[in-house]
Amino acid sequence: MMLVNGQPLDSVSALDRGLAYGDGLFETIRFLGNDAPLWGRHMHRLLTSCERLHMPAPDPHLLRQEAQQAVGNQREAVVRITVTRGVGERGYALPSATVTTRIVAAFPMPSVASSIYRDGIRLHPCQTTLADQPLLAGMKHLNRLEQVLARAEWNDPAIGEGLLSDQHGHAICATAANLFAVVDGVPVTPSLERCGVAGVARAEVLEALPACQIRDLSVAECLGASELFLSSSIRGILPVQAVGDTVYAPGPVTRAMQQHWRDLGFAMEQA
Amino acid sequence: MMLVNGQPLDSVSALDRGLAYGDGLFETIRFLGNDAPLWGRHMHRLLTSCERLHMPAPDPHLLRQEAQQAVGNQREAVVRITVTRGVGERGYALPSATVTTRIVAAFPMPSVASSIYRDGIRLHPCQTTLADQPLLAGMKHLNRLEQVLARAEWNDPAIGEGLLSDQHGHAICATAANLFAVVDGVPVTPSLERCGVAGVARAEVLEALPACQIRDLSVAECLGASELFLSSSIRGILPVQAVGDTVYAPGPVTRAMQQHWRDLGFAMEQA
């Protein structure tokens, strides 16, 4: 079920700036029936990102109505909300009067094997590195070719994610999740001032783990960590089992965050 | 007039990866009736870029037919060809069987005042800098938020373009054109190994000016150049009159390139 500007449609204008320039933002939100425990965090990121892109912000109440309409009576669903700068003339200049396009679509929850929550996910160390661009860092915008190229680096279905680093040897994130490490007993997540997407699940973990440091994290530190886990608004907390040939066992911080996720109401197979 | 996958349509699937991730490429091509003097260069860039993005390449003969159909009997037109990785499932992974989407649309030629060709265009020195990303540099891909943000820096209609630099103080390009300078009597154009779009008009100038150097060009060198001009597949050769407060007069290299453009058949007001 999909709504485009509130109408049950499955297409958008071929002149939409979302398509022409990737000029827009998106959120992917896990719904449990009518409930979406991280909704407020998704809206916060969407609205602050609209401001950074000089784009009129959509009405969160309207988005919520449309999201629930898209979910219908499904017990669980993933809702993707896309907001673009709308139809524009040729050229990069902002339209004189912007009418944003909003696309609200519900998809089935992807299945995650219970062994992933129990034993962990395997990561491919990506050769694709993320460019430094402070003006875009943190936002979930529609310019995602770096992630597409990184994800194209492996085909092995036993590998579930990729470890992405920047051009200075810092670990940043996975292709579609954020990264946490436990280094010398202290939880750490990479600083996302120059690249990467600041996930809503990451924000939730940071609030649940006030001792967590946000700082540059070298790939070497990451490989030497005692625990490594990913956070995703859709898949929850995923222990990392291996990055290439380096192996990890899920530890107490990872298990505590999985429990926190269950307390939010998100089903994850018993770890 | 617009064709989507050969059909007269003006919309695309809301699930197209061009919209979801900016996962695609485009070309903007100047047509003189049925003639497009730089067609071969556009196809060369499109096809080599498809290869770099691991995307099936469209058939250039089909694109040419569709472009001419879109132009119809217009004496002059701009044709935008967009090629995306097509409709995909959720997630960055490449679809198991990619069916690309092609959008071929004709637009009226933008009007450029004859004073621009005679006296030059004024450039805003952009604060937005381009990120280093060798994996994407040179391609005219759909991830163009940097250009959107740069173009949003000024509103003054007397300023026609922006000067974009990288994060190391090198001049790279304009927001929608390439850059040439004459430094100590030698034509120079910035190296585009790390960022920027390698324009087809730039390639044409490089062939017409074999003495032109391709190298890093500092903003300081650029500001001290004896001539500065832009190349654009649509607007042709534009002398630069000013970058902020620094002024230039169109010089002999610029005039020779304008003449070369006329020899290709492109009307530009007599300079």
Side-chain angles (χ1 to χ4, degrees):
Chain A
M1 168 66 173
M2 193 179 323
L3 296 168
V4 177
N5 295 327
Q7 302 302 311
L9 278 175
D10 57 7
S11 64
V12 297
S13 165
L15 300 179
D16 196 278
R17 289 174 63 104
L19 177 65
Y21 306 129
D23 192 5
L25 300 157
F26 69 113
E27 296 288 335
T28 51
I29 305 168
R30 187 170 173 181
F31 268 75
L32 308 170
N34 283 334
D35 196 23
L38 300 178
W39 177 263
R41 295 191 188 279
H42 284 287
M43 289 303 107
H44 176 74
R45 179 174 63 184
L46 182 61
L47 269 54
T48 53
S49 299
C50 280
E51 202 174 322
R52 289 178 66 188
L53 291 183
H54 319 299
M55 225 168 76
D59 174 1
H61 299 287
L62 185 61
L63 290 180
R64 183 62 184 251
Q65 280 173 23
E66 293 177 353
Q68 303 215 162
Q69 195 181 335
V71 170
N73 55 14
Q74 295 173 82
R75 207 174 50 83
E76 264 207 306
V78 173
V79 172
R80 177 173 162 139
I81 295 178
T82 308
V83 179
T84 80
R85 207 183 304 270
V87 173
E89 302 174 14
R90 262 191 12 86
Y92 296 124
L94 305 189
S96 45
T98 296
V99 179
T100 56
T101 300
R102 56 182 198 284
I103 306 166
V104 178
F107 301 89
M109 259 296 286
S111 67
V112 179
S114 58
S115 61
I116 294 289
Y117 292 119
R118 188 184 62 226
D119 305 327
I121 189 171
R122 287 177 55 196
L123 270 52
H124 165 79
C126 293
Q127 293 196 289
T128 301
T129 56
L130 297 173
D132 285 1
Q133 181 47 277
L135 294 172
L136 299 176
M139 294 191 279
K140 202 167 173 80
H141 56 64
L142 299 175
N143 280 199
R144 302 262 73 106
L145 276 172
E146 290 181 326
Q147 282 74 17
V148 170
L149 289 178
R151 183 59 190 82
E153 287 187 31
W154 79 94
N155 272 316
D156 182 350
I159 298 179
E161 259 291 5
L163 177 65
L164 275 165
S165 52
D166 68 10
Q167 295 164 3
H168 316 283
H170 303 120
I172 302 293
C173 53
T175 66
N178 284 108
L179 177 72
F180 289 81
V182 178
V183 177
D184 296 329
V186 179
V188 181
T189 194
S191 166
L192 303 176
E193 298 294 314
R194 296 183 311 271
C195 53
V197 176
V200 296
R202 173 179 181 268
E204 180 67 32
V205 171
L206 283 171
E207 193 171 308
L209 265 186
C212 186
Q213 297 178 350
I214 303 173
R215 63 167 172 85
D216 287 343
L217 177 73
S218 73
V219 171
E221 277 184 294
C222 196
L223 293 178
S226 61
E227 293 181 47
L228 221 51
F229 66 90
L230 305 183
S231 64
S232 154
S233 58
I234 304 306
R235 292 169 291 167
I237 304 297
L238 308 170
V240 173
Q241 186 181 54
V243 178
D245 295 331
T246 308
V247 296
Y248 305 84
V253 179
T254 307
R255 294 303 188 207
M257 287 303 104
Q258 290 187 312
Q259 188 54 48
H260 179 77
W261 236 249
R262 283 185 209 100
D263 294 344
L264 288 170
F266 292 120
M268 293 193 310
E269 298 291 324
Q270 189 64 38
Chain B
M1 168 65 174
M2 194 180 321
L3 296 169
V4 177
N5 294 328
Q7 302 302 313
L9 279 176
D10 56 8
S11 64
V12 297
S13 165
L15 300 177
D16 197 280
R17 289 174 63 104
L19 177 65
Y21 305 129
D23 192 5
L25 300 158
F26 69 113
E27 297 287 335
T28 50
I29 306 168
R30 186 169 172 181
F31 268 75
L32 309 169
N34 283 334
D35 196 22
L38 300 178
W39 177 263
R41 296 191 188 279
H42 284 287
M43 290 302 108
H44 176 74
R45 179 174 62 184
L46 182 61
L47 269 54
T48 54
S49 299
C50 279
E51 202 173 321
R52 289 178 67 188
L53 291 184
H54 319 298
M55 224 168 77
D59 175 359
H61 299 288
L62 185 61
L63 291 179
R64 183 63 185 251
Q65 279 171 25
E66 293 177 354
Q68 304 217 160
Q69 196 181 334
V71 170
N73 55 14
Q74 295 172 82
R75 207 173 50 82
E76 264 206 307
V78 173
V79 172
R80 176 172 162 139
I81 295 178
T82 309
V83 179
T84 80
R85 208 183 302 270
V87 172
E89 303 174 14
R90 263 193 8 89
Y92 296 124
L94 305 190
S96 45
T98 296
V99 180
T100 55
T101 300
R102 56 182 198 285
I103 305 166
V104 178
F107 300 89
M109 259 295 287
S111 67
V112 179
S114 58
S115 61
I116 295 287
Y117 291 120
R118 188 183 62 225
D119 305 327
I121 189 170
R122 286 178 54 196
L123 268 53
H124 165 78
C126 292
Q127 292 196 291
T128 302
T129 56
L130 297 172
D132 284 1
Q133 182 44 280
L135 293 172
L136 299 177
M139 294 192 279
K140 201 167 172 82
H141 54 65
L142 298 175
N143 280 198
R144 301 262 73 105
L145 276 172
E146 291 181 325
Q147 282 74 19
V148 171
L149 289 178
R151 183 58 188 82
E153 287 187 30
W154 79 94
N155 273 315
D156 182 350
I159 297 179
E161 260 290 7
L163 178 65
L164 276 165
S165 51
D166 67 11
Q167 295 165 4
H168 316 284
H170 303 120
I172 301 294
C173 53
T175 66
N178 284 108
L179 177 72
F180 289 82
V182 179
V183 177
D184 296 329
V186 179
V188 180
T189 195
S191 166
L192 304 176
E193 297 295 315
R194 297 184 310 272
C195 54
V197 176
V200 297
R202 175 178 180 268
E204 179 68 31
V205 170
L206 284 171
E207 193 172 307
L209 266 185
C212 186
Q213 297 177 350
I214 303 173
R215 63 169 172 84
D216 287 344
L217 176 74
S218 72
V219 171
E221 277 185 293
C222 195
L223 293 178
S226 61
E227 294 181 47
L228 220 53
F229 67 89
L230 305 183
S231 65
S232 155
S233 58
I234 304 306
R235 292 169 291 167
I237 303 298
L238 308 170
V240 174
Q241 185 181 52
V243 178
D245 294 331
T246 308
V247 296
Y248 306 84
V253 179
T254 307
R255 294 305 187 205
M257 286 303 103
Q258 289 187 313
Q259 188 54 48
H260 179 77
W261 236 249
R262 284 185 208 101
D263 294 345
L264 287 171
F266 292 119
M268 292 194 308
E269 297 291 322
Q270 188 64 39

